Structure formats: structure tokens, C-alpha cells
Amino acid sequence: MTRRFGKAISASELAQASVCEQQLVFDATHGKKHSGEREAKIRAGLAAHDTLHTDAMLAYSNVETSREDRRCFIATVAFGPDAPETDALRMFRDRALLPHQVGRALVSFYYLLSPPVARFLEQHPSLLPPVRSGLAMACRLIKAGVRA
Amino acid sequence: MFYLLLFALVAILWWLWRHTKAASIRADERDWLPPQLRTAILAFSERQFFTTQPFPLVAVVDRAYRTTDGGIVLVDFKRRPRRTVYQSDIVEISAQRLAMLGGGVSNVSERAFVVIVDPETEGKASIEVRLEDADALVRRRNRVEAIARGSAAPLGAAHPAVCRQCGHRPYCPVAR
């Protein structure tokens, strides 16, 4: 259990200690291990939480969350999920669009249309160079806007 | 011109879908939200909080609603067939409350709700719980730290069902 010394304890660790202290010790020394049945329940629970969170963000405005939205479908196909261009577009979405109602509407409209567009681009890689050029230009404008 | 009209049609259909879906989600919530929260506004969803006082603690809140009197009420979802709240649920939500208070959110109620989601039917039922105070959580944290230092022996699970779902069971000296 030395790995956690000097660091914050989580609410779930405190809760786990009230169920079985020995399991907390083994989790720290051997890593978390669950039976297949338990693993399936954990996965189902996480999926249900995802659905509830998506519903919350759709049904209410001005909800504070820490969950990072990694979706950026077309830029991911064009540049890759961790490319600086993809991050720049995510930053534009999070800082310029999501704080405003119209921006949030545009983002959800984009999420409706972009998955099929991204799939189409994956199937037709010859279309990627012009898409990359267009998005790169958008990124340059965003970066110029940030500097200004 | 055709593509412009097509775009406008898609935009209108999407707008209608989005508003219908949002209204449907809110109507569904009214079926399972406790009466105290039916006029409340959702303030936090999957929001992480961190505090250093009274001890370093991190917690992710499932949901927290702001009531009409300005109070914050925590709601935690549990997916299980039995409509039962366990002590561990109360400890977890109490720790969330402590992290929120330490993280600068005031007026977090010491009463919260556990919403049990039935895995078969997806039906939801809310159960009100009273949370533990900071002193009780400090005692729990001190106990964990004592076990970590080796100055206290860890106890096993109180119920055999916990052991049946545990991957450490083959080598656990206190497995039931």
C-alpha cells in the first residue's frame, strides 16, 4: 500500500475499505483483480454512467463536468487522435463553442453529421489531403485568434 | 439551392430531434427523481473534486442538483438487482460531499440519494440516505493509513458474496 502514501485517497478507496480491507491491500500490492462476473458488472456500470452523463449533457445546459470529450471525428481521421491540429480543434470547441448555447448546438449538430463523414473519409483516403489542408488552415486561424 | 434546402431540412430535423430527446430525458427523470429534486437544476455531472483538508481526497460526483433554496444534493447511481443501499455507498457519497466542500462548493446537503438501477428492467428507484460527517471519514482514512503502514491488520469481507467476486480469493488468507 506504499504507492498511495503522500497522495490523495479516493472516495471509492474509502468505500472499498468499508467492504473489505484485505482487498484494498491486495489491490495495492497485486493490482486490481476481479472475477469475470464482477468485471462484466463493472463494465456495464461504466457504460450506464456514460449514458446517464450523455443524457445529462443533452437535457440540461450549464452543467459542470470534468469529463474530457475526446471526440473530434474528422480531425482524428485526418491527423490522428493526438495530433496538435486535433488538439487545437478540441480546444476551439471547448473554449469558444461549448460555453455558448449556439456553440453547443453547433457542436451537437457536428456530432450528428461527422461520424458518417469520418467513415466516408476513411474509405476514400484520396479525399484526405484537401480535408487536411482545410482543417490546417482552420487551425492556423484558431492559433492566430488565440495569440491576438 | 437544392443543397441549401437539404441542409436547412437536416438542421430543422436535428433541432426537433434534439429538443424532443431532451424533453423525453427530463420527463423520464421526473419518474424516478425524488420529489425534493423535481424542481431542482442539475449542476454537476461526472465532476471531479479535490481537497487537501481534512486530508487529501479526490472524488468524482455522479450528479449533484441545486435545489430552489440554493442547496446542493448529491445523487449517486448504483446498478444492482436489489433495492438496497450498502454502507460503502454511504461512505463513498460522504467522501464526495467532503471533497466538494473542500473544493469550494458550499451548502452541500448531508442528505443524498442513491438511485438503484435495475440491470434487467433499467427501472430506477431513489433512496434517501444520511451521510457521514468529516470526523467519521477522518477515522476511516486513518484506519486505511494504519493498514498501509502495517500498524493495523486488515479485516476481511463481512459477506461471502464479496469474496466470490474477488480476484484475490485464491491467495487471500481471510477469504470466506
Side-chain angles (χ1 to χ4, degrees), chain B residues 7 12 25 28 34 51 54 61 71 75 77 86 93 116 128 132 155:
Chain B
F7 180 82
I12 289 166
I25 291 166
D28 176 56
T51 184
V61 167
V75 172
F77 294 93
Y86 298 111
I93 309 170
I116 310 286
E128 187 172 4
E132 293 186 350
L155 297 173

Side-chain angles (χ1 to χ4, degrees), chain A residues 87-100 103-104 107 142 145-147:
Chain A
D87 280 338
L89 291 165
R90 284 193 190 110
M91 185 190 71
F92 176 69
R93 173 200 63 199
D94 294 344
R95 295 188 188 174
L97 296 179
L98 289 181
H100 310 289
R104 284 195 293 275
V107 169
I142 290 167
V146 169
R147 279 194 294 270

Side-chain angles (χ1 to χ4, degrees), chain B residues 10 40 58 61 67 78 83 86 89 95-96 119 122 133 144 154 166:
Chain B
V10 169
V58 63
V61 167
T67 55
K78 298 293 176 195
R83 287 189 180 184
Y86 298 111
D89 302 334
Q96 291 170 6
E122 296 295 325
D133 62 16
V144 170
C166 180

Side-chain angles (χ1 to χ4, degrees), chain B residues 12 17 31 39 51 57-58 80 82 88 96 101 123 127 134 174:
Chain B
I12 289 166
W17 171 83
D31 289 341
T39 54
T51 184
L57 172 68
V58 63
R80 58 179 66 129
R82 294 176 63 188
S88 57
Q96 291 170 6
L101 290 167
I127 301 171
V174 291

Side-chain angles (χ1 to χ4, degrees), chain A residues 29 34-36 72 100 108 118 129:
Chain A
T29 52
H34 303 291
S35 67
C72 207
H100 310 289
S108 32

Side-chain angles (χ1 to χ4, degrees), chain A residues 1-2 4-27 30-35 37-38 41 44-45 48-67 104-110 112-113, chain B residues 7 10-11 14 17-18 21-22 25-26 29 32-33 40-48 50 55-59 62-63 65 77 79 87-88 91-92 95-96 117 124 137 140-141 143-145 147-149 153-158 162 164-168 171-174:
Chain A
M1 300 247 321
T2 50
R4 230 201 49 250
F5 272 124
K7 294 181 184 170
I9 191 169
S10 70
S12 54
E13 280 178 310
L14 270 183
Q16 177 56 47
S18 73
V19 176
C20 177
E21 293 172 347
Q22 184 65 62
Q23 187 180 348
L24 201 64
V25 174
F26 281 142
D27 282 351
H30 294 69
K32 285 184 191 284
K33 287 183 185 174
H34 303 291
S35 67
E37 181 194 357
R38 181 76 186 137
K41 282 182 182 173
H49 271 77
D50 282 347
T51 305
L52 284 162
H53 177 65
T54 306
D55 284 354
M57 301 311 281
L58 189 63
Y60 297 93
S61 54
N62 301 322
V63 178
E64 282 192 39
T65 183
S66 310
R67 194 171 275 201
R104 284 195 293 275
L106 283 171
V107 169
S108 32
F109 186 46
Y110 168 75
L112 189 73
L113 292 184
Chain B
F7 180 82
V10 169
W14 163 81
W17 171 83
R18 194 174 190 278
K21 177 82 177 164
I25 291 166
R26 287 194 293 266
E29 275 194 16
W32 54 262
L33 266 180
I41 295 164
L42 183 65
F44 302 99
S45 172
E46 297 291 334
R47 170 78 149 81
Q48 181 174 278
F50 176 77
F55 56 85
L57 172 68
V58 63
D62 279 359
R63 284 192 184 185
Y65 288 82
F77 294 93
R79 195 175 173 81
Q87 183 64 34
S88 57
V91 173
E92 188 172 13
Q96 291 170 6
V117 184
K124 299 182 183 76
L137 292 170
R140 288 185 182 280
R141 187 264 190 174
R143 166 82 186 156
V144 170
E145 291 300 314
I147 293 166
R149 282 194 306 272
L155 297 173
V162 176
R164 280 199 297 273
Q165 298 193 3
C166 180
H168 302 299
Y171 43 81
C172 180
V174 291

